[in-house]
Amino acid sequence: MARFHVYGLKQGRALALDLQSDLLERLSTRIMAPLLRVEDVSTPIARLNPQFTIAGETYTMATQLMAAIPLIEIGELVADLSSHGDQITAATDFLFQGF
């Protein structure tokens, strides 16, 4: 598992973005933010909810819904969003610090 990688969750057809530092890989959970289809998000906040295209479909990062997900619930790698690391980090900074 790696930070800024997108994984399918075993329950349902949901996607989640790994936000946790790779230095903490020995933990039994990962902090992840769900990725929701853009049409399922009524009023996104640009800085809090960045959008990404994965397999031709646009997803919104629901930063405010992040949670600890047990490793056993995390499925296959779907995408690598490492190139968007600054944007993803800005969203979590905005959530926790307001800037």
Side-chain angles (χ1 to χ4, degrees):
M1 309 218 79
R3 186 174 189 207
F4 304 141
H5 283 187
V6 176
Y7 296 91
L9 298 180
K10 291 180 181 176
Q11 301 254 342
R13 300 180 63 80
L15 296 181
L17 174 61
D18 188 343
L19 301 172
Q20 186 169 303
S21 169
D22 294 337
L23 295 174
L24 301 172
E25 67 183 28
R26 295 178 66 186
L27 298 177
S28 63
T29 58
R30 297 294 289 185
I31 299 298
M32 303 183 87
L35 294 174
L36 307 175
R37 287 186 169 87
V38 70
E39 60 270 10
D40 295 335
V41 180
S42 58
T43 47
I45 299 169
R47 189 159 178 184
L48 181 66
N49 307 116
Q51 295 181 351
F52 308 102
T53 301
I54 301 169
E57 190 162 355
T58 304
Y59 290 88
T60 300
M61 178 180 161
T63 311
Q64 70 276 17
L65 299 178
M66 72 171 73
I69 307 296
L71 293 177
I72 61 172
E73 296 297 325
I74 301 170
E76 297 297 317
L77 174 66
V78 173
D80 180 354
L81 296 181
S82 296
S83 64
H84 300 280
D86 289 343
Q87 190 178 15
I88 295 165
T89 300
T92 58
D93 286 348
F94 188 62
L95 178 70
F96 291 118
Q97 301 187 48
F99 59 86

